[in-house]
mmCIF file of all heavy atoms in Angstrom:
data_model
loop_
_atom_site.group_PDB
_atom_site.id
_atom_site.type_symbol
_atom_site.label_atom_id
_atom_site.label_comp_id
_atom_site.label_asym_id
_atom_site.label_seq_id
_atom_site.Cartn_x
_atom_site.Cartn_y
_atom_site.Cartn_z
ATOM 1 N N ARG B 51 3.749 32.408 -2.616
ATOM 2 C CA ARG B 51 3.270 33.707 -2.164
ATOM 3 C C ARG B 51 2.674 33.689 -0.755
ATOM 4 O O ARG B 51 2.022 32.722 -0.382
ATOM 5 C CB ARG B 51 2.219 34.186 -3.200
ATOM 6 C CG ARG B 51 2.783 34.298 -4.617
ATOM 7 C CD ARG B 51 1.758 34.686 -5.676
ATOM 8 N NE ARG B 51 0.624 33.855 -5.814
ATOM 9 C CZ ARG B 51 0.612 32.710 -6.502
ATOM 10 N NH1 ARG B 51 1.667 32.279 -7.090
ATOM 11 N NH2 ARG B 51 -0.509 32.000 -6.566
ATOM 12 N N VAL B 54 -1.301 33.183 -0.075
ATOM 13 C CA VAL B 54 -1.889 32.016 -0.678
ATOM 14 C C VAL B 54 -1.680 30.782 0.302
ATOM 15 O O VAL B 54 -0.603 30.682 0.840
ATOM 16 C CB VAL B 54 -1.312 31.638 -2.051
ATOM 17 C CG1 VAL B 54 -1.920 30.372 -2.630
ATOM 18 C CG2 VAL B 54 -1.580 32.809 -3.020
ATOM 19 N N ARG B 55 -2.671 29.984 0.430
ATOM 20 C CA ARG B 55 -2.581 28.769 1.285
ATOM 21 C C ARG B 55 -2.141 27.610 0.444
ATOM 22 O O ARG B 55 -2.773 27.255 -0.542
ATOM 23 C CB ARG B 55 -3.954 28.483 1.945
ATOM 24 C CG ARG B 55 -3.942 27.314 2.846
ATOM 25 C CD ARG B 55 -5.360 27.100 3.411
ATOM 26 N NE ARG B 55 -5.391 25.897 4.188
ATOM 27 C CZ ARG B 55 -6.515 25.315 4.515
ATOM 28 N NH1 ARG B 55 -7.694 25.879 4.268
ATOM 29 N NH2 ARG B 55 -6.508 24.183 5.163
ATOM 30 N N TYR B 56 -1.017 27.065 0.792
ATOM 31 C CA TYR B 56 -0.424 25.890 0.072
ATOM 32 C C TYR B 56 -0.450 24.645 0.889
ATOM 33 O O TYR B 56 -0.368 24.684 2.120
ATOM 34 C CB TYR B 56 1.048 26.216 -0.297
ATOM 35 C CG TYR B 56 1.278 27.312 -1.336
ATOM 36 C CD1 TYR B 56 1.541 28.597 -0.916
ATOM 37 C CD2 TYR B 56 1.109 27.022 -2.678
ATOM 38 C CE1 TYR B 56 1.677 29.616 -1.839
ATOM 39 C CE2 TYR B 56 1.331 28.067 -3.623
ATOM 40 C CZ TYR B 56 1.610 29.310 -3.167
ATOM 41 O OH TYR B 56 1.750 30.345 -4.090
ATOM 42 N N ALA B 57 -0.427 23.542 0.184
ATOM 43 C CA ALA B 57 -0.280 22.245 0.817
ATOM 44 C C ALA B 57 0.333 21.304 -0.229
ATOM 45 O O ALA B 57 0.387 21.674 -1.409
ATOM 46 C CB ALA B 57 -1.575 21.643 1.316
ATOM 47 N N ALA B 58 0.812 20.154 0.219
ATOM 48 C CA ALA B 58 1.389 19.195 -0.725
ATOM 49 C C ALA B 58 1.173 17.781 -0.159
ATOM 50 O O ALA B 58 0.928 17.589 1.052
ATOM 51 C CB ALA B 58 2.855 19.440 -0.876
ATOM 52 N N LEU B 70 3.222 16.462 -4.940
ATOM 53 C CA LEU B 70 2.300 17.325 -5.616
ATOM 54 C C LEU B 70 2.003 18.532 -4.781
ATOM 55 O O LEU B 70 1.624 18.384 -3.637
ATOM 56 C CB LEU B 70 0.979 16.572 -5.933
ATOM 57 C CG LEU B 70 -0.090 17.381 -6.689
ATOM 58 C CD1 LEU B 70 -0.882 16.435 -7.541
ATOM 59 C CD2 LEU B 70 -0.993 18.141 -5.774
ATOM 60 N N LEU B 71 2.273 19.717 -5.328
ATOM 61 C CA LEU B 71 2.016 21.002 -4.667
ATOM 62 C C LEU B 71 0.709 21.509 -5.147
ATOM 63 O O LEU B 71 0.385 21.527 -6.364
ATOM 64 C CB LEU B 71 3.154 21.987 -4.961
ATOM 65 C CG LEU B 71 2.928 23.405 -4.416
ATOM 66 C CD1 LEU B 71 3.119 23.410 -2.888
ATOM 67 C CD2 LEU B 71 3.979 24.343 -5.068
ATOM 68 N N PHE B 72 -0.169 22.000 -4.241
ATOM 69 C CA PHE B 72 -1.404 22.627 -4.640
ATOM 70 C C PHE B 72 -1.668 23.828 -3.774
ATOM 71 O O PHE B 72 -1.132 23.948 -2.672
ATOM 72 C CB PHE B 72 -2.566 21.649 -4.664
ATOM 73 C CG PHE B 72 -2.837 20.951 -3.340
ATOM 74 C CD1 PHE B 72 -3.895 21.399 -2.508
ATOM 75 C CD2 PHE B 72 -2.121 19.861 -2.953
ATOM 76 C CE1 PHE B 72 -4.191 20.768 -1.313
ATOM 77 C CE2 PHE B 72 -2.391 19.202 -1.735
ATOM 78 C CZ PHE B 72 -3.372 19.694 -0.924
ATOM 79 N N SER B 73 -2.488 24.706 -4.283
ATOM 80 C CA SER B 73 -2.929 25.905 -3.469
ATOM 81 C C SER B 73 -4.452 25.953 -3.385
ATOM 82 O O SER B 73 -5.125 25.417 -4.240
ATOM 83 C CB SER B 73 -2.344 27.204 -4.099
ATOM 84 O OG SER B 73 -2.831 27.359 -5.445
ATOM 85 N N LEU B 74 -4.913 26.667 -2.410
ATOM 86 C CA LEU B 74 -6.322 26.784 -2.156
ATOM 87 C C LEU B 74 -6.580 28.272 -2.103
ATOM 88 O O LEU B 74 -6.032 29.067 -1.312
ATOM 89 C CB LEU B 74 -6.697 26.192 -0.800
ATOM 90 C CG LEU B 74 -6.309 24.693 -0.676
ATOM 91 C CD1 LEU B 74 -6.468 24.234 0.736
ATOM 92 C CD2 LEU B 74 -7.149 23.853 -1.658
ATOM 93 N N ASN B 75 -7.523 28.741 -3.001
ATOM 94 C CA ASN B 75 -7.768 30.169 -3.143
ATOM 95 C C ASN B 75 -9.250 30.347 -3.460
ATOM 96 O O ASN B 75 -9.701 29.814 -4.469
ATOM 97 C CB ASN B 75 -6.877 30.723 -4.244
ATOM 98 C CG ASN B 75 -6.863 32.237 -4.211
ATOM 99 O OD1 ASN B 75 -7.565 32.851 -3.506
ATOM 100 N ND2 ASN B 75 -6.007 32.787 -5.101
ATOM 101 N N GLY B 76 -9.984 31.101 -2.641
ATOM 102 C CA GLY B 76 -11.405 31.274 -2.862
ATOM 103 C C GLY B 76 -12.111 29.906 -2.676
ATOM 104 O O GLY B 76 -11.931 29.271 -1.634
ATOM 105 N N ASN B 77 -12.735 29.404 -3.750
ATOM 106 C CA ASN B 77 -13.343 28.067 -3.667
ATOM 107 C C ASN B 77 -12.644 27.117 -4.666
ATOM 108 O O ASN B 77 -13.155 26.091 -5.054
ATOM 109 C CB ASN B 77 -14.830 28.102 -3.937
ATOM 110 C CG ASN B 77 -15.135 28.466 -5.377
ATOM 111 O OD1 ASN B 77 -14.324 29.129 -6.077
ATOM 112 N ND2 ASN B 77 -16.312 28.091 -5.894
ATOM 113 N N ILE B 78 -11.400 27.500 -5.050
ATOM 114 C CA ILE B 78 -10.669 26.725 -6.038
ATOM 115 C C ILE B 78 -9.425 26.132 -5.543
ATOM 116 O O ILE B 78 -8.644 26.769 -4.796
ATOM 117 C CB ILE B 78 -10.332 27.679 -7.237
ATOM 118 C CG1 ILE B 78 -11.599 28.250 -7.904
ATOM 119 C CG2 ILE B 78 -9.450 26.956 -8.290
ATOM 120 C CD1 ILE B 78 -11.334 29.242 -8.974
ATOM 121 N N CYS B 79 -9.224 24.847 -5.867
ATOM 122 C CA CYS B 79 -7.960 24.148 -5.583
ATOM 123 C C CYS B 79 -7.167 24.194 -6.885
ATOM 124 O O CYS B 79 -7.652 23.730 -7.948
ATOM 125 C CB CYS B 79 -8.271 22.722 -5.170
ATOM 126 S SG CYS B 79 -6.798 21.697 -5.078
ATOM 127 N N ILE B 80 -5.946 24.756 -6.794
ATOM 128 C CA ILE B 80 -5.083 24.799 -8.009
ATOM 129 C C ILE B 80 -3.987 23.782 -7.835
ATOM 130 O O ILE B 80 -3.156 23.917 -6.899
ATOM 131 C CB ILE B 80 -4.519 26.246 -8.192
ATOM 132 C CG1 ILE B 80 -5.641 27.267 -8.253
ATOM 133 C CG2 ILE B 80 -3.627 26.295 -9.442
ATOM 134 C CD1 ILE B 80 -5.228 28.662 -8.193
ATOM 135 N N LEU B 81 -3.970 22.791 -8.714
ATOM 136 C CA LEU B 81 -2.868 21.795 -8.675
ATOM 137 C C LEU B 81 -1.695 22.467 -9.392
ATOM 138 O O LEU B 81 -1.712 22.648 -10.602
ATOM 139 C CB LEU B 81 -3.330 20.504 -9.388
ATOM 140 C CG LEU B 81 -4.613 19.935 -8.832
ATOM 141 C CD1 LEU B 81 -5.071 18.791 -9.725
ATOM 142 C CD2 LEU B 81 -4.428 19.470 -7.413
ATOM 143 N N GLU B 82 -0.680 22.822 -8.631
ATOM 144 C CA GLU B 82 0.435 23.662 -9.115
ATOM 145 C C GLU B 82 1.507 22.887 -9.869
ATOM 146 O O GLU B 82 1.923 23.304 -10.905
ATOM 147 C CB GLU B 82 1.073 24.431 -7.927
ATOM 148 C CG GLU B 82 0.087 25.316 -7.176
ATOM 149 C CD GLU B 82 -0.181 26.667 -7.743
ATOM 150 O OE1 GLU B 82 0.470 27.004 -8.783
ATOM 151 O OE2 GLU B 82 -1.009 27.428 -7.179
ATOM 152 N N ARG B 83 1.994 21.816 -9.161
ATOM 153 C CA ARG B 83 3.146 21.128 -9.723
ATOM 154 C C ARG B 83 3.273 19.733 -9.216
ATOM 155 O O ARG B 83 3.000 19.431 -8.045
ATOM 156 C CB ARG B 83 4.400 21.929 -9.364
ATOM 157 C CG ARG B 83 5.655 21.341 -9.884
ATOM 158 C CD ARG B 83 6.745 22.453 -9.940
ATOM 159 N NE ARG B 83 8.100 21.930 -9.850
ATOM 160 C CZ ARG B 83 8.756 21.338 -10.892
ATOM 161 N NH1 ARG B 83 8.117 21.102 -12.006
ATOM 162 N NH2 ARG B 83 9.985 20.948 -10.713
ATOM 163 N N ILE B 84 3.677 18.805 -10.093
ATOM 164 C CA ILE B 84 3.954 17.427 -9.702
ATOM 165 C C ILE B 84 5.451 17.186 -9.982
ATOM 166 O O ILE B 84 5.907 17.451 -11.044
ATOM 167 C CB ILE B 84 3.124 16.381 -10.448
ATOM 168 C CG1 ILE B 84 1.605 16.568 -10.093
ATOM 169 C CG2 ILE B 84 3.556 14.988 -10.159
ATOM 170 C CD1 ILE B 84 0.669 15.694 -10.927
ATOM 171 N N LEU B 98 -2.993 12.915 -6.999
ATOM 172 C CA LEU B 98 -4.082 13.765 -7.469
ATOM 173 C C LEU B 98 -5.337 13.564 -6.613
ATOM 174 O O LEU B 98 -5.971 14.549 -6.168
ATOM 175 C CB LEU B 98 -4.380 13.478 -8.928
ATOM 176 C CG LEU B 98 -3.302 13.891 -9.953
ATOM 177 C CD1 LEU B 98 -3.573 13.274 -11.276
ATOM 178 C CD2 LEU B 98 -3.265 15.450 -10.033
ATOM 179 N N ALA B 101 -4.952 15.199 -3.109
ATOM 180 C CA ALA B 101 -5.091 16.655 -3.136
ATOM 181 C C ALA B 101 -6.597 17.057 -3.319
ATOM 182 O O ALA B 101 -7.073 17.954 -2.639
ATOM 183 C CB ALA B 101 -4.258 17.262 -4.257
ATOM 184 N N LEU B 102 -7.287 16.314 -4.182
ATOM 185 C CA LEU B 102 -8.685 16.585 -4.420
ATOM 186 C C LEU B 102 -9.501 16.310 -3.144
ATOM 187 O O LEU B 102 -10.421 17.106 -2.816
ATOM 188 C CB LEU B 102 -9.220 15.723 -5.595
ATOM 189 C CG LEU B 102 -8.676 16.085 -6.977
ATOM 190 C CD1 LEU B 102 -9.075 14.956 -7.968
ATOM 191 C CD2 LEU B 102 -9.167 17.448 -7.395
ATOM 192 N N ALA B 105 -8.912 19.104 -0.639
ATOM 193 C CA ALA B 105 -9.696 20.305 -1.014
ATOM 194 C C ALA B 105 -11.198 20.170 -0.775
ATOM 195 O O ALA B 105 -11.901 20.982 -0.241
ATOM 196 C CB ALA B 105 -9.422 20.663 -2.485
ATOM 197 N N PHE B 110 -13.720 23.183 -0.913
ATOM 198 C CA PHE B 110 -13.351 23.734 -2.239
ATOM 199 C C PHE B 110 -13.954 22.872 -3.305
ATOM 200 O O PHE B 110 -13.737 21.687 -3.355
ATOM 201 C CB PHE B 110 -11.811 23.724 -2.359
ATOM 202 C CG PHE B 110 -11.133 24.698 -1.429
ATOM 203 C CD1 PHE B 110 -10.896 24.343 -0.093
ATOM 204 C CD2 PHE B 110 -10.765 25.972 -1.859
ATOM 205 C CE1 PHE B 110 -10.315 25.279 0.750
ATOM 206 C CE2 PHE B 110 -10.207 26.888 -1.008
ATOM 207 C CZ PHE B 110 -9.972 26.542 0.357
ATOM 208 N N THR B 112 -13.993 23.305 -6.795
ATOM 209 C CA THR B 112 -13.423 23.319 -8.128
ATOM 210 C C THR B 112 -11.923 23.089 -8.086
ATOM 211 O O THR B 112 -11.234 23.576 -7.229
ATOM 212 C CB THR B 112 -13.674 24.653 -8.826
ATOM 213 O OG1 THR B 112 -15.131 24.920 -8.861
ATOM 214 C CG2 THR B 112 -13.188 24.656 -10.260
ATOM 215 N N ALA B 113 -11.453 22.254 -9.042
ATOM 216 C CA ALA B 113 -9.990 22.029 -9.143
ATOM 217 C C ALA B 113 -9.578 22.434 -10.550
ATOM 218 O O ALA B 113 -10.269 22.109 -11.506
ATOM 219 C CB ALA B 113 -9.681 20.570 -8.888
ATOM 220 N N VAL B 114 -8.450 23.098 -10.619
ATOM 221 C CA VAL B 114 -7.920 23.490 -11.949
ATOM 222 C C VAL B 114 -6.393 23.231 -11.972
ATOM 223 O O VAL B 114 -5.752 23.233 -10.925
ATOM 224 C CB VAL B 114 -8.187 24.988 -12.266
ATOM 225 C CG1 VAL B 114 -9.721 25.238 -12.356
ATOM 226 C CG2 VAL B 114 -7.502 25.923 -11.278
ATOM 227 N N CYS B 115 -5.892 23.101 -13.164
ATOM 228 C CA CYS B 115 -4.389 22.953 -13.334
ATOM 229 C C CYS B 115 -4.017 23.149 -14.800
ATOM 230 O O CYS B 115 -4.873 23.118 -15.670
ATOM 231 C CB CYS B 115 -3.931 21.665 -12.732
ATOM 232 S SG CYS B 115 -4.444 20.265 -13.699
ATOM 233 N N ARG B 116 -2.700 23.282 -15.027
ATOM 234 C CA ARG B 116 -2.147 23.319 -16.317
ATOM 235 C C ARG B 116 -1.006 22.226 -16.451
ATOM 236 O O ARG B 116 -0.011 22.497 -17.057
ATOM 237 C CB ARG B 116 -1.521 24.700 -16.560
ATOM 238 C CG ARG B 116 -2.544 25.795 -16.716
ATOM 239 C CD ARG B 116 -1.841 27.121 -17.042
ATOM 240 N NE ARG B 116 -2.748 28.195 -17.129
ATOM 241 C CZ ARG B 116 -3.364 28.547 -18.296
ATOM 242 N NH1 ARG B 116 -3.105 27.883 -19.405
ATOM 243 N NH2 ARG B 116 -4.199 29.545 -18.294
ATOM 244 N N LEU B 117 -1.241 21.127 -15.880
ATOM 245 C CA LEU B 117 -0.265 20.059 -15.863
ATOM 246 C C LEU B 117 -0.387 19.169 -17.107
ATOM 247 O O LEU B 117 -0.709 17.965 -17.058
ATOM 248 C CB LEU B 117 -0.433 19.226 -14.595
ATOM 249 C CG LEU B 117 -0.274 19.975 -13.270
ATOM 250 C CD1 LEU B 117 -0.691 19.115 -12.115
ATOM 251 C CD2 LEU B 117 1.154 20.498 -13.154
ATOM 252 N N PHE B 129 -11.334 15.205 -15.408
ATOM 253 C CA PHE B 129 -11.063 16.608 -15.722
ATOM 254 C C PHE B 129 -11.458 16.882 -17.174
ATOM 255 O O PHE B 129 -11.293 16.029 -18.043
ATOM 256 C CB PHE B 129 -9.552 16.958 -15.539
ATOM 257 C CG PHE B 129 -9.168 17.229 -14.171
ATOM 258 C CD1 PHE B 129 -8.767 16.174 -13.353
ATOM 259 C CD2 PHE B 129 -9.081 18.509 -13.653
ATOM 260 C CE1 PHE B 129 -8.351 16.400 -12.021
ATOM 261 C CE2 PHE B 129 -8.645 18.774 -12.374
ATOM 262 C CZ PHE B 129 -8.295 17.668 -11.562
ATOM 263 N N VAL B 135 -6.133 24.392 -20.071
ATOM 264 C CA VAL B 135 -6.454 24.373 -18.651
ATOM 265 C C VAL B 135 -7.376 23.227 -18.362
ATOM 266 O O VAL B 135 -8.397 23.002 -19.055
ATOM 267 C CB VAL B 135 -7.157 25.700 -18.219
ATOM 268 C CG1 VAL B 135 -7.559 25.651 -16.743
ATOM 269 C CG2 VAL B 135 -6.264 26.897 -18.478
ATOM 270 N N PHE B 136 -7.038 22.412 -17.386
ATOM 271 C CA PHE B 136 -7.838 21.270 -16.950
ATOM 272 C C PHE B 136 -8.672 21.727 -15.743
ATOM 273 O O PHE B 136 -8.149 22.437 -14.885
ATOM 274 C CB PHE B 136 -6.947 20.104 -16.561
ATOM 275 C CG PHE B 136 -6.201 19.497 -17.670
ATOM 276 C CD1 PHE B 136 -4.952 20.023 -18.019
ATOM 277 C CD2 PHE B 136 -6.710 18.497 -18.427
ATOM 278 C CE1 PHE B 136 -4.265 19.483 -19.077
ATOM 279 C CE2 PHE B 136 -5.973 17.923 -19.487
ATOM 280 C CZ PHE B 136 -4.785 18.415 -19.822
ATOM 281 N N GLY B 138 -12.415 20.762 -13.100
ATOM 282 C CA GLY B 138 -13.485 19.828 -12.769
ATOM 283 C C GLY B 138 -13.985 20.127 -11.377
ATOM 284 O O GLY B 138 -13.385 20.845 -10.578
ATOM 285 N N THR B 140 -14.658 19.035 -7.668
ATOM 286 C CA THR B 140 -13.927 18.049 -6.839
ATOM 287 C C THR B 140 -14.802 16.896 -6.468
ATOM 288 O O THR B 140 -14.258 15.747 -6.482
ATOM 289 C CB THR B 140 -13.393 18.774 -5.575
ATOM 290 O OG1 THR B 140 -14.445 19.427 -4.826
ATOM 291 C CG2 THR B 140 -12.296 19.777 -5.927
#
Side-chain angles (χ1 to χ4, degrees):
R51 300 178 301 279
V54 177
R55 181 178 172 195
Y56 292 96
L70 181 147
L71 175 69
F72 58 100
S73 62
L74 304 168
N75 194 353
N77 70 336
I78 299 173
C79 171
I80 303 168
L81 305 172
E82 303 275 356
R83 180 157 156 74
I84 296 175
L98 291 166
L102 292 170
F110 292 84
T112 303
V114 298
C115 68
R116 292 183 180 270
L117 302 170
F129 279 85
V135 177
F136 295 87
T140 54

